[in-house]
Amino acid sequence: MAYEIVIDGSTGVKPLVISLANTYRELQPAIQIEIGAGLDPRARIQALTHKKIDIAMASHGIDSQQISKLGLQVHRIAKIAVVMGVHHGVDVPSISHQQLCDIYSGKINNWKSLGGESGPIIPFIRPNNEVDTEVIIEHVPCFAELHLAADIQVKNKSGQMATALAQTPGAIGMTTLVRVAQSNQHIIPLALNGIPPTPSNLMSDVYPLSRDVFLITASQPSPPVEEFLAFVRSESGANIIRANNAVPAK
């Protein structure tokens, strides 16, 4: 008998969950896992409470007590580095906080100014209410008061950002180390203030820009959902999380 698990929510979390789900399908072919196109925070909780989905993907700023009052349960599964990613043709390995702010304010517009080959810098940004941008604003002080240059393009979905970074020469934008891992080396992560966003630096908090990955379920999830969560928490699940440049939750 086939069982279906329906998952939806944060598109920033989606790439890691897809990787976990793909392996789980191979192990449990009787389990069908459907992953939606994305839901905002309010919509994903409504979908869970109305039993339209079985698992909600979420990240950053979760109020576990409030969620538990709705008869739901939060499962923290991983920690992901938020990075400034660039197109693979960019030969600048590191930038400072001030250089980042100068790029987004329009003061620096050529990679030659940062020690790279001459070429225009094409900055992309996520909306201010998206987690990757919130993390940058929180940890890069000058970014919070920044007046963005008028020509910066906004990418509403994390997948749109990843595609733009991979395909646009000279591009820079905020993404995650999971997106970098899945880009076939088309996206390169920059070190910030000389600190590279490696999983080991993330685990030790040397690299401070990160977002947590949560799965939210009913307080008493169905057996198929429980079994999927057990796989995610297992060493096999942890290995998949590590292979995607993320850190498994303890």
Side-chain angles (χ1 to χ4, degrees):
M1 181 177 180
Y3 293 92
E4 183 179 51
I5 298 173
V6 181
I7 305 174
D8 211 338
S10 167
T11 60
V13 170
K14 185 175 176 180
L16 182 59
V17 174
I18 286 175
S19 188
L20 288 162
N22 285 343
T23 299
Y24 191 69
R25 289 188 188 102
E26 294 175 2
L27 297 172
Q28 300 289 345
I31 303 295
Q32 299 176 9
I33 301 179
E34 176 188 337
I35 301 179
L39 293 171
D40 65 36
R42 184 173 181 177
R44 73 187 64 143
I45 296 302
Q46 288 181 338
L48 261 180
T49 57
H50 289 86
K51 302 186 186 305
K52 293 182 178 179
I53 65 175
D54 301 293
I55 300 174
M57 302 175 288
S59 180
H60 211 61
I62 297 296
D63 187 339
S64 298
Q65 289 186 340
Q66 186 62 35
I67 288 175
S68 67
K69 291 178 182 178
L70 299 174
L72 305 175
Q73 185 176 2
V74 177
H75 313 267
R76 180 175 176 270
I77 67 166
K79 185 178 185 180
I80 300 175
V82 173
V83 303
M84 296 308 302
V86 295
H87 181 269
H88 58 91
V90 172
D91 60 350
V92 173
S94 177
I95 60 173
S96 69
H97 286 181
Q98 189 58 55
Q99 287 169 337
L100 177 62
C101 291
D102 287 346
I103 287 172
Y104 278 85
S105 66
K107 294 178 181 178
I108 295 178
N109 53 32
N110 195 296
W111 287 110
K112 188 175 182 179
S113 301
L114 301 175
E117 292 291 325
S118 181
I121 299 175
I122 312 297
F124 299 114
I125 196 167
R126 299 290 312 284
N128 278 349
N129 62 346
E130 292 294 334
V131 175
D132 294 341
T133 306
E134 289 178 348
V135 170
I136 296 292
I137 289 171
E138 179 182 353
H139 292 282
V140 181
C142 58
F143 216 90
E145 304 298 327
L146 201 63
H147 293 286
L148 294 175
D151 60 347
I152 294 178
Q153 298 180 43
V154 177
K155 300 299 178 183
N156 290 317
K157 301 286 187 180
S158 64
Q160 294 171 349
M161 174 64 85
T163 298
L165 292 174
Q167 296 181 354
T168 309
I172 182 173
M174 53 279 295
T175 185
T176 69
L177 210 56
V178 172
R179 289 285 187 187
V180 170
Q182 296 184 4
S183 74
N184 294 320
Q185 299 183 327
H186 286 92
I187 304 172
I188 306 299
L190 295 181
L192 282 180
N193 286 348
I195 302 173
T198 61
S200 60
N201 282 344
L202 180 65
M203 196 178 332
S204 62
D205 293 325
V206 172
Y207 184 85
L209 279 66
S210 68
R211 57 190 290 174
D212 289 317
V213 177
F214 302 99
L215 299 181
I216 306 174
T217 68
S219 57
Q220 295 183 329
S222 67
V225 171
E226 276 284 11
E227 290 167 12
F228 176 67
L229 290 173
F231 164 75
V232 171
R233 297 190 198 100
S234 71
E235 189 57 27
S236 295
N239 286 336
I240 295 167
I241 291 169
R242 294 187 192 101
N244 282 277
N245 283 346
V247 176
K250 295 179 180 179

